[in-house]
Amino acid sequence: MKMPRAFSVIIERDAEGYYVASVPELRGCHTQARSLDTLMKRIREAIELCLEVEGKTVSPPEFIGVQRVWVDA
């Protein structure tokens, strides 16, 4: 029986309007879509594929948060 696992997903929107999702805990685990609904389906599929490749030994670090930092540029 498979045990559910939780992963943190970072979602951004690129300059062309696509939503882009990435999972920091899984190297190379990312996808994109035009809608958030499609994005969430695709990132679940991507996570499942990454776990198949990396194995079940992936131990995600504890997610602390995201901070926005402003700098003069």
Side-chain angles (χ1 to χ4, degrees):
M1 178 201 245
K2 292 184 179 182
M3 294 289 295
R5 296 177 65 181
F7 291 90
S8 300
V9 178
I10 307 277
I11 300 173
E12 301 173 293
R13 188 174 9 215
D14 69 12
E16 297 167 5
Y18 281 90
Y19 292 101
V20 180
S22 60
V23 181
E25 296 96 335
L26 300 171
R27 183 181 8 235
C29 188
H30 56 270
T31 189
Q32 67 180 22
R34 281 278 186 199
S35 74
L36 285 173
D37 288 339
T38 302
L39 184 74
M40 296 315 295
K41 290 176 190 172
R42 289 183 180 174
I43 198 62
R44 282 187 185 91
E45 292 171 355
I47 290 169
E48 290 170 356
L49 290 171
C50 287
L51 288 175
E52 283 180 21
V53 171
E54 292 192 21
K56 307 294 183 195
T57 59
V58 175
S59 178
E62 178 184 1
F63 180 74
I64 301 300
V66 176
Q67 294 288 319
R68 181 169 286 240
V69 177
W70 295 87
V71 296
D72 292 326

